[in-house]
Amino acid sequence: MKKNGKLLIVDDNKSVLSSLKLFLKHHFELLDICSNPNQIPGLITKDKYDVVLLDMNFSAGVNSGNEGLYWLREVLKLDASLVVILFTAYGDVNLAVNAMKEGATDFILKPWDNKKLLATLQSGVELHRTRVQVEKLEQQKNYLQKDLNQQFVNIIGESDAIKKVLSTVKKVAATDANILILGENGTGKELIAREIHQLSSRKKNIFLGVDLGALSDNLFESELFGHVKGSFTDAKEDRIGRFQAANKGTIFLDEIGNLSMPMQAKLLSVLQNRVVTPIGSNQQDEIDVRLICATNANIQKLISTDRFREDLLYRINTITIELPPLRERDNDVLIIGEHFLKQFAQKYGKKLPVIHAEAKEKLVSYSWPGNIRELRHCMERAIILTDSEVLQANDFHLEQKDSQVSFGSKPMSLEEGERVIIENSLKRNRGNISQVAKELNVGRQTLYRKIEKYNILH
């Protein structure tokens, strides 16, 4: 006989507890008994029960049932999804019915019938697990709704560089291979990840993106693997992690190069074992996700300086896709730029302007250090600020950003060069001071002083 369900029985009559344990231990995978209701909070915090069988009275000579009502409320405060079944004498039936209005699921009369008792408890187990599943589905729906609110944008471009990438995308999408996407900031790594998902067999399930660069070590485990209520100060309810939410779908871990070594070890364990354990729980959840990772960092350099685990790299890069920067995509700058112009003209209710030939040359020759993200902002700014039907070169305000291209090609002071180097590093690392300090081989305090000295925005 397969044992199923976790049961806690609370009754001050030890002979009743012994009889119940003797009968029920053959039917449940976990069976705890307790004669002192004050132990309830510790027991519920320690183990994840499905059903609590709760006596109504605990003090000798007291038959009001108020103690049972009190502990019913306390149990549901600890875990609102728990199924609480009351254990009561025949004369307390009206009290038990009233208690059901406060959250109890059912009641069992003393003396009990073994078959009816077992059937009621097993139904309670199924009810609890249904509640938990519904709660998980509700949280998954919330994640999905956030994802649906993201605008899905088709990949635009006709250059050989992007055609090569899209050819690889079509080949790998049909597989479940783990993929690592490399490229500078703003090149469209998440867009490529979404395209892979849309072309895969998982497309009807959730695509869930996680910016690891925005997660502290303290939040990492909770966000990715979930937690149970009370496992830490702000854990006010059970919460599934991103991996559980993305089950059967695709999870996209952006900026994986920013992950600390301890967190890399925890992620590697999950990927190897295909299970996650929420914080505060001793129950493992199996996961079935397609993993896509991305970074703008030089992974090999991180490995050589002991900042990234080589065994984790082998787990995440069955296939590597490297996105070309916008400056290497020929006339895609104009194709994508005109797409954004049309989008923002509609958004702001303006007539669609044309781009002057001289301005087109300027756009194509510009280095676009911020890539597609910078181009998008550039086109939006031009639509907002310009009323002309023809956009000229100076309508795009690109001159001040040419320093990255001309660095070293014109005279500048040592301080000017240092400022440009810091600015460029901040752009590459999306303002992550720790990464910039490591890249430039300076201390964080030294870096902060120089940022303040040169009045650099970050």
Side-chain angles (χ1 to χ4, degrees):
M1 182 185 299
K2 183 180 179 182
K3 296 181 180 181
N4 185 38
K6 298 180 178 182
L7 175 63
L8 172 63
I9 304 174
V10 188
D11 196 301
D12 64 329
N13 189 324
K14 293 186 179 180
S15 63
V16 167
L17 290 177
S18 297
S19 298
L20 289 171
K21 185 171 184 178
L22 189 64
F23 169 53
L24 295 171
K25 68 181 181 180
H26 303 293
H27 300 278
F28 294 89
E29 60 188 285
L30 174 67
L31 174 59
D32 286 337
I33 58 175
C34 170
S35 61
N36 182 355
N38 292 310
Q39 295 176 357
I40 290 175
L43 288 166
I44 289 178
T45 302
K46 176 186 172 187
D47 281 301
K48 198 72 175 170
Y49 298 106
D50 295 299
V51 177
V52 177
L53 180 58
L54 179 67
D55 191 21
M56 292 293 292
N57 297 292
F58 295 96
S59 300
V62 177
N63 296 303
S64 66
N66 287 334
E67 290 174 301
L69 290 174
Y70 170 80
W71 285 109
L72 166 65
R73 297 185 194 108
E74 291 302 303
V75 167
L76 295 178
K77 281 181 190 176
L78 292 166
D79 187 346
S81 72
L82 268 175
V83 170
V84 181
I85 297 174
L86 301 175
F87 214 17
T88 182
Y90 181 77
D92 295 330
V93 169
N94 288 334
L95 179 65
V97 171
N98 289 331
M100 290 176 68
K101 295 177 182 178
E102 295 204 31
T105 301
D106 206 342
F107 63 90
I108 294 171
L109 291 174
K110 297 177 183 177
W112 65 89
D113 176 272
N114 277 348
K115 287 186 178 179
K116 288 183 179 178
L117 171 69
L118 181 59
T120 302
L121 294 174
Q122 288 176 333
S123 295
V125 170
E126 293 304 314
L127 175 59
H128 176 255
R129 298 196 170 178
T130 299
R131 285 178 179 176
V132 170
Q133 187 61 28
V134 167
E135 190 175 323
K136 283 186 176 181
L137 289 172
E138 186 65 28
Q139 291 183 31
Q140 193 171 29
K141 186 184 84 171
N142 292 337
Y143 280 121
L144 181 59
Q145 189 60 51
K146 289 178 183 177
D147 181 61
L148 290 174
N149 289 336
Q150 301 278 332
Q151 282 190 321
F152 183 78
V153 182
N154 290 323
I155 298 167
I156 302 168
E158 298 176 0
S159 65
D160 290 341
I162 200 63
K163 284 180 179 178
K164 184 179 178 181
V165 168
L166 293 177
S167 174
T168 303
V169 165
K170 288 177 182 177
K171 290 176 184 176
V172 303
T175 74
D176 251 356
N178 292 339
I179 295 171
L180 176 62
I181 304 173
L182 302 176
E184 296 176 8
N185 282 330
T187 49
K189 294 187 286 293
E190 182 172 350
L191 202 60
I192 291 295
R194 286 180 179 275
E195 181 74 5
I196 292 168
H197 175 73
Q198 289 298 320
L199 295 174
S200 76
S201 60
R202 297 174 180 262
K203 65 182 178 182
K204 292 183 180 179
N205 296 305
I206 190 170
F207 173 95
L208 193 54
V210 186
D211 182 1
L212 297 180
L215 287 183
S216 66
D217 282 7
N218 292 336
L219 289 175
F220 175 83
E221 282 189 89
S222 173
E223 285 293 321
L224 265 65
F225 312 140
H227 62 252
V228 297
K229 182 179 178 180
S231 55
F232 53 88
T233 304
D234 293 326
K236 309 220 183 299
E237 59 184 0
D238 287 1
R239 181 181 176 187
I240 63 171
R242 306 294 181 97
F243 269 94
Q244 296 100 312
N247 202 39
K248 305 296 183 184
T250 301
I251 190 164
F252 173 58
L253 302 182
D254 197 8
E255 302 299 345
I256 196 167
N258 289 351
L259 209 55
S260 71
M261 292 296 276
M263 296 305 102
Q264 289 177 38
K266 291 180 179 179
L267 177 59
L268 179 62
S269 176
V270 167
L271 299 180
Q272 287 174 333
N273 301 315
R274 310 297 290 179
V275 294
V276 300
T277 304
I279 298 174
S281 173
N282 54 16
Q283 183 174 329
Q284 293 182 327
D285 293 336
E286 293 185 5
I287 54 166
D288 171 19
V289 297
R290 169 75 175 278
L291 178 69
I292 304 177
C293 299
T295 182
N296 66 337
N298 184 329
I299 289 286
Q300 292 301 332
K301 183 179 178 182
L302 292 179
I303 290 173
S304 67
T305 54
D306 296 323
R307 286 182 284 157
F308 200 87
R309 296 177 62 112
E310 193 167 17
D311 48 359
L312 178 57
L313 177 61
Y314 293 144
R315 279 280 168 185
I316 66 176
N317 78 332
T318 306
I319 303 292
T320 299
I321 297 175
E322 190 155 0
L323 294 189
L326 189 55
R327 61 184 173 274
E328 294 178 9
R329 291 180 56 178
D330 306 323
N331 286 335
D332 281 355
V333 172
L334 300 179
I335 296 170
I336 300 169
E338 287 173 349
H339 165 79
F340 286 140
L341 278 182
K342 183 177 180 181
Q343 184 182 90
F344 290 120
Q346 290 175 344
K347 178 179 178 179
Y348 296 113
K350 291 195 170 187
K351 185 176 180 181
L352 179 64
V354 296
I355 304 174
H356 190 276
E358 184 180 329
K360 286 183 178 182
E361 290 180 12
K362 180 82 172 180
L363 292 170
V364 172
S365 63
Y366 180 61
S367 66
W368 298 107
N371 291 292
I372 296 170
R373 189 179 296 126
E374 183 183 1
L375 176 61
R376 185 177 187 275
H377 291 323
C378 179
M379 295 299 134
E380 182 174 19
R381 186 172 58 242
I383 284 289
I384 291 172
L385 298 178
T386 310
D387 294 320
S388 172
E389 295 183 0
V390 179
L391 293 173
Q392 305 292 334
N394 58 6
D395 289 324
F396 294 105
H397 306 285
L398 300 176
E399 291 77 14
Q400 72 274 22
K401 298 186 178 180
D402 282 345
S403 59
Q404 187 166 343
V405 178
S406 60
F407 182 65
S409 62
K410 63 180 182 180
M412 65 172 64
S413 69
L414 187 60
E415 287 191 346
E416 287 175 322
E418 190 172 58
R419 176 182 55 77
V420 171
I421 290 171
I422 294 172
E423 285 178 340
N424 289 341
S425 184
L426 282 165
K427 286 177 186 176
R428 278 194 301 276
N429 292 287
R430 297 176 67 181
N432 187 316
I433 296 295
S434 296
Q435 289 294 111
V436 172
K438 289 177 182 177
E439 183 178 284
L440 301 182
N441 196 26
V442 297
R444 285 168 59 95
Q445 293 305 317
T446 300
L447 181 59
Y448 276 124
R449 284 197 299 272
K450 291 183 181 295
I451 288 173
E452 185 177 352
K453 174 183 177 181
Y454 299 130
N455 195 27
I456 297 172
L457 297 175
H458 69 288

